[in-house]
Amino acid sequence: MKIINRELLVIGGGPAGLAAAVGAYEEGIRDILILERDIEAGGILNQCIHNGFGLHTFKEELTGPEYAGRYIDKVNGLGIEIKTNSMVIDLKPVENDENKDSYGNLATVVSRSEGMYQIKAKAVILAMGCRERPRGALNIPGFRPAGVFSAGTAQRLVNIEGRNVGKDVVILGSGDIGLIMARRMSLEGARVHCVLELMPYSGGLKRNIVQCLEDYSIPLHLSHTVIDVKGKERVTSIVAAQVDENLQPIPGTEKEYKCDTLLLSVGLIPENEVSLSAGIEISPITNGPVVDEAMETSCRGVFACGNVLHVHDLVDYVSDEADVAGRKAAAFIRSQGEEVNTKEHARHIETLGAVRYVVPQEIHSDNLDDEQIFRFRVSKPMGRSKIVVSIGDKTVMSKNKMIMAPGEMENITFKKKWLEGTGADDKISISAFEIDKEFVI
Ligand SMILES: Cc1cc2nc3c(=O)[nH]c(=O)nc-3n(C[C@H](O)[C@H](O)[C@H](O)COP(=O)(O)OP(=O)(O)OC[C@H]3O[C@@H](n4cnc5c(N)ncnc54)[C@H](O)[C@@H]3O)c2cc1C
């Protein structure tokens, strides 16, 4: 099989891959290749034609394609090569290769125009995004008629392919895609009966609940699920029911909605296949790779960013994180792999209280920049709360928040100087706990 050598291979041409490539270029790397399996770069943003993107990065409200377009223009302007219709199907560290010092990872690619070939890269950035959890993962009883779509598929059909997916719609799941599609379907002239949410709180951003449901008078029924899908050829109705604290349907609360379409917005899962093929350690909580301060995975020279690492709600944070991954991958290449980490000295970040996960999950004290961003989510809606960072028994930071919710990603800036005077074995922890429930939304 044909083998090509490249300094940096970026897998995925969405916002994460594009920003990572720009970051690496700005750190002096010129031999960069972005591989994108779709027909064009831009990732999921190409189908997000609503506005609300880029408020942090560009201080403007852009649509998804506009935001992606800015990065595509940057990448093209810098002369960074993007190959579309090119899918990476396998990634392996090159352990015993005679070139191992300079080209550490071997990716297998399939392409419509070039067939199957391999790329040896000094560093690789994983930026493959995530995919939607399908109906099969939910065990909803009932028939399998036409008219059941994942919300993202419906978004693509409506916004890119100009199709009409249905006229009478129920949406299961109140994550951001479900909320955005409730509004989109209303704008398309469909009747959206309601959004049903299994949990007692929404998984989406507060601003999307207001702008996509309340502004369109679409009811949100928390602690509800779909217990039956009726119809043989096409959906004719669905049956919803309230659930108890164990998320089990409560008999007697059933309600039937006549509809021709059920949209599912029930979670996103990082695209893990390539990461798994490389033997990368995956976090059981984020379902993405475990990374350190450089966004480097457990596989040397392989970095990760964006939704493949953990699911983001704002693309601006994806771009910031990807910029770090690109710059750190560049440093790795410049040091010819000598660098950055001796993995054995990693310090794990402990999560306490309501902190469900944190990224990065570990740091190497010597390699930290003066400031390190940690991003995390809480496991439940919280009223007035405290976020505390501790090293050993010393509290190094504490800040109050009015509200926190699982749908909204939090971040804190960790300062390297906090480590001064602490022992290498002192545990670093991030915790969040409620001090006043009164303000829960
Ligand atoms: C419906 C929806 C609405 C959203 N609304 C907003 C919003 O209003 N505001 C906001 O800020 N953010 C929003 N977001 C979030 C934002 O769009 C994402 O956080 C962002 O797109 C993630 O970027 P990414 O590059 O990690 O992933 P993606 O955009 O998914 O890009 C990943 C790319 O990798 C490619 N790829 C995957 N596997 C391979 C492979 N093996 N080989 C080659 N290529 C591969 C994919 O084809 C894709 O192009 C929304 C997201 C969704 C899904």
Side-chain angles (χ1 to χ4, degrees):
M1 208 184 313
K2 181 173 77 174
I3 298 184
I4 300 166
N5 285 346
R6 302 300 292 241
E7 283 202 313
L8 175 61
L9 172 64
V10 180
I11 308 177
L18 296 167
V22 171
Y25 186 97
E26 286 174 352
E27 289 295 313
I29 304 302
R30 295 291 174 266
D31 184 14
I32 304 172
L33 174 63
I34 303 174
L35 291 179
E36 168 54 53
R37 69 179 171 191
D38 209 339
I39 54 170
E40 58 188 345
I44 200 76
L45 292 187
N46 288 333
Q47 67 184 62
C48 299
I49 61 172
H50 56 280
N51 59 358
F53 295 84
L55 285 168
H56 296 264
T57 309
F58 298 110
K59 311 282 176 257
E60 302 176 54
E61 261 212 345
L62 303 173
T63 64
E66 282 172 335
Y67 188 98
R70 298 233 173 150
Y71 274 93
I72 293 170
D73 289 348
K74 252 192 210 178
V75 162
N76 289 337
L78 296 173
I80 297 171
E81 188 180 1
I82 308 180
K83 285 189 184 195
T84 54
N85 285 318
S86 303
M87 179 165 177
V88 173
I89 55 166
D90 187 62
L91 180 67
K92 289 272 180 296
V94 191
E95 293 293 354
N96 299 313
D97 190 275
E98 56 188 21
N99 272 335
K100 72 173 178 183
D101 290 336
S102 45
Y103 291 94
N105 293 285
L106 185 65
T108 306
V109 188
V110 283
S111 145
R112 280 191 199 163
S113 52
E114 295 176 78
M116 192 185 267
Y117 62 97
Q118 289 184 309
I119 296 177
K120 268 189 196 170
K122 288 182 182 175
V124 174
I125 298 179
L126 307 173
M128 293 92 72
C130 60
R131 61 164 170 257
E132 296 179 285
R133 187 168 282 131
R135 174 179 178 172
L138 298 182
N139 297 325
I140 303 175
F143 289 105
R144 295 286 181 271
V148 182
F149 301 90
S150 70
T153 303
Q155 187 180 51
R156 187 180 175 91
L157 289 169
V158 173
N159 290 352
I160 294 191
E161 298 181 21
R163 308 276 186 97
N164 177 5
V165 294
K167 293 230 164 297
D168 265 305
V169 183
V170 171
I171 298 177
L172 175 61
S174 65
D176 290 315
I177 315 180
L179 301 176
I180 284 161
M181 281 312 288
R183 175 176 66 184
R184 188 73 188 102
M185 294 304 290
S186 302
L187 292 171
E188 283 294 305
R191 176 168 178 216
V192 181
H193 294 265
C194 58
V195 174
L196 304 166
E197 168 57 58
L198 181 70
M199 303 306 288
Y201 52 84
S202 165
L205 293 170
K206 179 73 184 158
R207 75 170 197 210
N208 283 335
I209 296 173
V210 174
Q211 293 171 6
C212 302
L213 298 189
E214 291 174 9
D215 288 356
Y216 291 79
S217 304
I218 300 169
L220 169 62
H221 298 308
L222 300 174
S223 298
H224 277 74
T225 192
V226 172
I227 58 164
D228 200 4
V229 177
K230 295 187 177 175
K232 284 205 173 153
E233 301 296 323
R234 174 89 198 190
V235 175
T236 52
S237 68
I238 65 100
V239 181
Q242 201 178 333
V243 296
D244 61 20
E245 59 282 6
N246 299 316
L247 308 180
Q248 295 306 308
I250 304 173
T253 62
E254 299 84 0
K255 182 169 177 192
E256 187 162 354
Y257 292 91
K258 298 272 174 224
C259 59
D260 58 18
T261 303
L262 174 65
L263 298 189
L264 302 175
S265 174
V266 289
L268 299 166
I269 317 163
E271 286 275 5
N272 275 332
E273 283 67 23
V274 173
S275 315
L276 289 170
S277 73
I280 286 168
E281 183 187 353
I282 300 290
S283 155
I285 302 175
T286 59
N287 286 314
V290 171
V291 291
D292 64 11
E293 73 290 337
M295 300 291 140
E296 192 179 13
T297 68
S298 60
C299 189
R300 202 157 169 266
V302 180
F303 299 75
C305 54
N307 278 358
V308 80
L309 183 55
H310 57 135
V311 174
H312 294 65
D313 30 65
L314 290 185
V315 72
D316 307 72
Y317 296 150
V318 169
S319 304
D320 287 352
E321 186 179 274
D323 178 64
V324 172
R327 289 176 192 279
K328 297 295 181 180
F332 177 88
I333 293 168
R334 282 201 313 267
S335 68
Q336 289 294 311
E338 286 308 312
E339 61 57 274
V340 180
N341 303 324
T342 49
K343 287 280 179 194
E344 62 268 26
H345 299 311
R347 292 176 75 170
H348 177 73
I349 312 297
E350 208 177 12
T351 55
L352 299 173
V355 178
R356 197 163 73 86
Y357 74 80
V358 64
V359 171
Q361 291 92 341
E362 55 189 38
I363 56 169
H364 300 85
S365 314
D366 294 345
N367 296 324
L368 269 192
D369 291 335
D370 289 345
E371 295 193 337
Q372 169 72 43
I373 306 274
F374 283 105
R375 301 188 200 284
F376 67 92
R377 285 183 194 269
V378 292
S379 53
K380 56 177 187 181
M382 296 162 74
R384 195 177 295 171
S385 307
K386 223 179 229 324
I387 301 172
V388 175
V389 180
S390 304
I391 305 176
D393 51 14
K394 193 169 121 195
T395 296
V396 291
M397 191 219 78
S398 162
K399 74 171 177 185
N400 290 347
K401 290 277 296 184
M402 284 303 282
I403 48 168
M404 289 197 278
E408 317 240 353
M409 190 182 280
E410 300 290 336
N411 60 65
I412 54 157
T413 304
F414 184 94
K415 296 200 175 8
K416 185 178 182 177
K417 66 178 183 204
W418 293 343
L419 290 167
E420 287 165 14
T422 66
D425 292 333
D426 286 342
K427 280 199 171 144
I428 304 172
S429 67
I430 300 180
S431 60
F433 53 90
E434 220 166 7
I435 47 181
D436 184 353
K437 287 191 193 330
E438 202 182 308
F439 289 91
V440 175
I441 42 161

